[in-house]
Amino acid sequence: MQIFKVGGAVRDRLLGRPVSDIDWLVVGATVEQMLELGYRPVGDDFPVFLHPQTGEEYALARTERKSGQGYGGFTFHASPEVSIEEDLIRRDLTINAMAEDAQGQLFDPYGGQRDLAARLLRHVSPAFAEDPLRVLRVARFAARYAPLGFSVAAETLALMRQLSESGELQALTAERSWKEISRALLEPRPDVFIQVLRDCGALASLLPEVDALFGVPQTATHHPEIDTGVHLLMVLQQCALHDQPLTVRWACLLHDLGKGTTLACEWPRHIAHEVRGLKLIRAVNARCKAPKDCQELALLVGEYHTHGHRALELKASTLFELLQRFDVYRRPQRFEEFLQACEMDARGRLGFEQRDYPQAAYLQAAMQAARAVAVQPLLEQGLTGAALGEALNRARLQALTQFRQSQRQAQANATH
């Protein structure tokens, strides 16, 4: 019986990166032996055990064979006869197919170290093409390691393209896809994730609404980068640079979907793309089974991001309606995330990356002015129910009118 560290723990140690989770592999043991040693079984499909002291996962060496469609379409075989080499060959990438024994000796039968040095994400064997989830995983690794200079090997990209064209991606469950997509969006280069999916044809299969943005032109005055898809990639880069949460990154991914439906004869203008995009955002939200907070923010950003950009021009009544729509009195954090998404959208343009975004501070101040309206004086007037609500709304609108006037006066004073 031998115990090895495998996968990411070995890879990240060799890259000099912090190691958080350790995967352990047990070669030459039976289920009975593991139970006798006090390990607790947890695996349904194949034998995985929890260490009696540390609680870490230990898996028996196994082989796998394709037996159906999709991520779950595999038959596993675990036995004491399965060697370390046989277990490692079923893994996705060479850099994830290395092992280390208790003495620190490295087992690297498939050239993982070589590909680490070459900064290549390369598949271990042709069996890579049997698992559609690996398309998303490789794109996610590309997003994680792009800052270190990693790219996907040409032959691996070809296999990913083959998987995309086979229709196997449609067999992925929404839960598995969302897990990979959400993790990838939080990597240092989420734009690389989208680009790699596009390069292998998977974006058109998984997120056709996003894929449709590429090649669609915008007005050069506002978007010097022209291409809507390129703009999207730049917005995602800004999200990572400014360490935005998943809700904001998801909203930014979907904020311009309506532009993909603009008729070519109307290019480069995209009138009412905000409203046209809502149906598409709902479709993507539902298909990916995104969490509720991600779904809500994506729809609000899609509909109102141009309001954010035009904040300084908005009438008091429009400001009031915007704040009401976001329910800033009970959910101010959601409005803050909206402002962050708007700022990422504004910065995700060629030459605008370092530009200030005063609209965010302006709208934050407007929110504070509306939230500062006290309800107690209205209650003391004996107002209740609908009458109280109407009076409160009038008071908030009045506060926003005064806020807007004071802001315009301050601006006028500053220019003289």
Side-chain angles (χ1 to χ4, degrees):
M1 175 175 165
Q2 282 183 292
I3 295 178
F4 298 89
K5 278 182 192 175
V6 291
V10 180
R11 174 197 69 225
D12 286 341
R13 183 186 69 76
L14 292 172
L15 283 172
R17 290 167 59 92
V19 174
S20 49
D21 297 324
I22 298 178
D23 292 323
W24 299 96
L25 180 70
V26 183
V27 176
T30 63
V31 171
E32 291 71 28
Q33 284 175 296
M34 298 295 285
L35 295 174
E36 285 171 17
L37 291 168
Y39 286 82
R40 303 192 306 280
V42 291
D44 292 330
D45 300 324
F46 45 82
V48 178
F49 301 85
L50 299 182
H51 190 282
Q53 276 80 50
T54 67
E56 291 181 309
E57 287 191 359
Y58 285 66
L60 293 189
R62 64 187 188 272
T63 59
E64 61 185 35
R65 183 173 54 83
K66 183 77 169 170
S67 59
Q69 202 179 28
Y71 167 76
F74 291 90
T75 301
F76 298 97
H77 170 67
S79 83
E81 287 74 42
V82 177
S83 68
I84 183 72
E85 292 81 7
E86 286 175 312
D87 183 275
L88 293 176
I89 200 171
R90 66 179 177 77
R91 296 170 187 264
D92 51 6
L93 298 172
T94 59
I95 64 168
N96 296 332
M98 296 181 284
E100 201 176 81
D101 66 14
Q103 290 70 46
Q105 181 183 351
L106 189 71
F107 289 78
D108 181 18
Y110 306 110
Q113 273 188 301
R114 174 200 66 212
D115 287 338
L116 279 181
R119 297 297 195 248
L120 276 178
L121 302 174
R122 189 197 308 274
H123 62 283
V124 178
S125 78
F128 175 94
E130 294 177 351
D131 184 355
L133 189 68
R134 287 177 169 175
V135 172
L136 287 166
R137 275 177 56 83
V138 172
R140 174 166 64 83
F141 280 121
R144 178 184 300 176
Y145 295 117
L148 298 180
F150 276 82
S151 61
V152 182
E155 59 270 34
T156 302
L157 198 64
L159 278 183
M160 292 165 69
R161 191 172 295 114
Q162 179 184 317
L163 261 171
S164 299
E165 292 169 356
S166 72
E168 279 261 335
L169 291 176
Q170 304 305 318
L172 289 174
T173 64
E175 290 77 12
R176 291 299 308 182
S177 295
W178 174 255
K179 186 176 180 181
E180 292 297 327
I181 291 169
S182 59
R183 290 175 70 183
L185 287 177
L186 288 170
E187 296 289 4
R189 289 293 303 276
D191 57 302
V192 170
F193 172 72
I194 297 299
Q195 186 63 60
V196 169
L197 290 183
R198 186 158 188 270
D199 290 344
C200 71
L203 192 62
S205 177
L206 294 167
L207 296 169
E209 301 89 347
V210 175
D211 191 65
L213 297 177
F214 289 85
V216 174
Q218 302 170 101
T219 310
T221 312
H222 300 298
H223 287 277
E225 72 286 350
I226 307 292
D227 191 293
T228 309
V230 172
H231 165 61
L232 170 63
L233 298 181
M234 295 178 74
V235 174
L236 291 177
Q237 281 184 35
Q238 290 297 318
C239 284
L241 284 171
H242 294 273
D243 198 25
Q244 298 295 351
L246 177 61
T247 46
V248 172
R249 297 188 191 207
W250 180 247
C252 283
L253 177 68
L254 307 184
H255 80 284
D256 264 349
L257 292 189
K259 290 182 179 178
T261 67
T262 304
L263 297 174
C265 61
E266 296 176 8
W267 291 347
R269 301 181 70 200
H270 296 278
I271 297 167
H273 75 275
E274 305 90 347
V275 176
R276 283 189 283 115
L278 294 179
K279 180 181 176 183
L280 302 176
I281 294 171
R282 288 191 189 93
V284 176
N285 276 338
R287 192 167 67 246
C288 292
K289 292 190 178 176
K292 188 178 178 184
D293 56 347
C294 287
Q295 293 199 30
E296 288 180 351
L297 189 66
L299 285 164
L300 288 166
V301 170
E303 187 169 2
Y304 293 107
H305 62 277
T306 48
H307 276 55
H309 302 329
R310 295 188 297 105
L312 307 183
E313 308 160 25
L314 299 181
K315 295 184 296 185
S317 58
T318 309
L319 273 175
F320 171 74
E321 289 166 9
L322 181 67
L323 297 176
Q324 290 286 104
R325 182 71 179 81
F326 275 83
D327 191 12
V328 298
Y329 315 103
R330 291 184 300 177
R331 300 184 64 179
Q333 179 59 33
R334 185 170 65 176
F335 192 64
E336 294 282 358
E337 291 184 352
F338 164 74
L339 297 180
Q340 290 162 17
C342 289
E343 183 169 352
M344 297 306 98
D345 181 30
R347 287 177 180 270
R349 298 178 292 163
L350 197 60
F352 288 78
E353 295 88 348
Q354 306 299 325
R355 192 77 62 91
D356 285 338
Y357 192 70
Q359 294 94 323
Y362 180 87
L363 286 172
Q364 281 171 330
M367 174 174 70
Q368 295 311 326
R371 281 171 55 86
V373 173
V375 70
Q376 190 59 36
L378 301 176
L379 290 170
E380 289 170 359
Q381 293 175 30
L383 294 172
T384 58
L388 175 63
E390 288 169 11
L392 190 56
N393 285 344
R394 283 196 301 273
R396 285 168 174 167
L397 179 56
Q398 179 61 31
L400 288 169
T401 301
Q402 292 170 352
F403 161 78
R404 188 169 176 274
Q405 288 170 349
S406 67
Q407 290 288 319
R408 290 165 77 89
Q409 187 61 54
Q411 190 178 21
N413 294 339
T415 56
H416 283 95

